[in-house]
Amino acid sequence: MHSIFARINSVSSLLSTCMMVLLAAVAVSSLFLTTDPKGKVDIVSLKVYNAKAKRYPFKEQEFGFLKFDIDVDLQPLFNWNTKQLFIYLEAEYSSAQGKTNNTIVLWDRIVRRKEDAHIVVSSGRNKYKFKELSESFKNASPAEFSLKYNVMPYVGLLTYGEAARTEAHEIPEARDAIA
């Protein structure tokens, strides 16, 4: 005869196996439900200024300031397994050295409900600093801006995608320091 602990162990292992199989089925089935949303990103203005960095007050660095418009409908990404969306605007360009592509996140937002998934931003500004590590955007390649998203499910793999992309924009010469 089996003891009570052996019976509890058998029942709990059966339940945990059934739960894991169910979660795996949910994760696999939600991979096929995603669609590719399309939107629009317009760069209204891109200005570069010389300014003194906070950390090194004796050193000047170039900072970019961006104004943009976004209109994108991300509601098709929501299904029964979507917990939230992380959307972000990023800039891609090559530095003066030209060795690697630089990718900088300039703005982001978290969307938790399907009702809030139609994003309209007019005259938005970059939330994070747009600066070059080599302290100057001089001789940098034109920047392309893209609106990307990350679908965070309750169960399963994170999925990434791109909702909109702009054509290449020249990074202008730096202006005088900000007062």
Side-chain angles (χ1 to χ4, degrees):
M1 186 116 189
H2 295 290
S3 69
I4 188 72
F5 294 116
R7 291 180 182 178
I8 290 173
N9 185 21
S10 297
V11 169
S12 65
S13 66
L14 175 69
L15 290 177
S16 64
T17 302
C18 292
M19 181 65 80
M20 294 306 272
V21 168
L22 179 65
L23 291 176
V26 166
V28 168
S29 68
S30 66
L31 287 177
F32 303 109
L33 293 177
T34 60
T35 60
D36 194 23
K38 294 296 177 197
K40 192 169 99 174
V41 175
D42 291 323
I43 304 304
V44 176
S45 70
L46 173 60
K47 297 177 183 174
V48 177
Y49 293 100
N50 284 323
K52 295 185 186 222
K54 285 184 180 180
R55 196 173 278 188
Y56 305 105
F58 57 87
K59 194 183 237 184
E60 282 198 0
Q61 186 167 9
E62 292 182 359
F63 291 93
F65 294 92
L66 182 72
K67 274 190 176 179
F68 56 88
D69 294 335
I70 294 176
D71 186 7
V72 64
D73 187 15
L74 300 172
Q75 290 178 352
L77 293 174
F78 275 90
N79 57 37
W80 48 273
N81 192 26
T82 303
K83 182 177 183 181
Q84 65 185 13
L85 298 175
F86 180 70
I87 58 172
Y88 52 99
L89 179 69
E90 70 179 19
E92 299 173 19
Y93 66 96
S94 293
S95 61
Q97 292 85 8
K99 294 178 183 174
T100 60
N101 285 342
N102 296 331
T103 304
I104 301 173
V105 174
L106 300 172
W107 175 87
D108 64 4
R109 182 177 288 179
I110 295 174
V111 180
R112 291 190 172 93
R113 300 182 318 153
K114 185 175 184 175
E115 295 80 24
D116 300 332
H118 188 139
I119 308 296
V120 177
V121 177
S122 60
S123 296
R125 297 176 186 261
N126 50 323
K127 195 177 191 182
Y128 306 110
K129 289 181 183 176
F130 184 21
K131 65 180 184 176
E132 170 62 34
L133 290 176
S134 66
E135 299 170 5
S136 176
F137 287 108
K138 190 174 183 179
N139 298 327
S141 69
E144 290 185 0
F145 298 92
S146 58
L147 184 68
K148 297 188 178 183
Y149 61 86
N150 179 0
V151 179
M152 298 177 190
Y154 287 108
V155 178
L157 301 173
L158 299 175
T159 55
Y160 297 88
E162 185 174 294
R165 180 174 281 276
T166 66
E167 67 279 353
H169 289 274
E170 287 290 330
I171 299 176
E173 292 291 323
R175 296 181 184 187
D176 291 337
I178 299 173

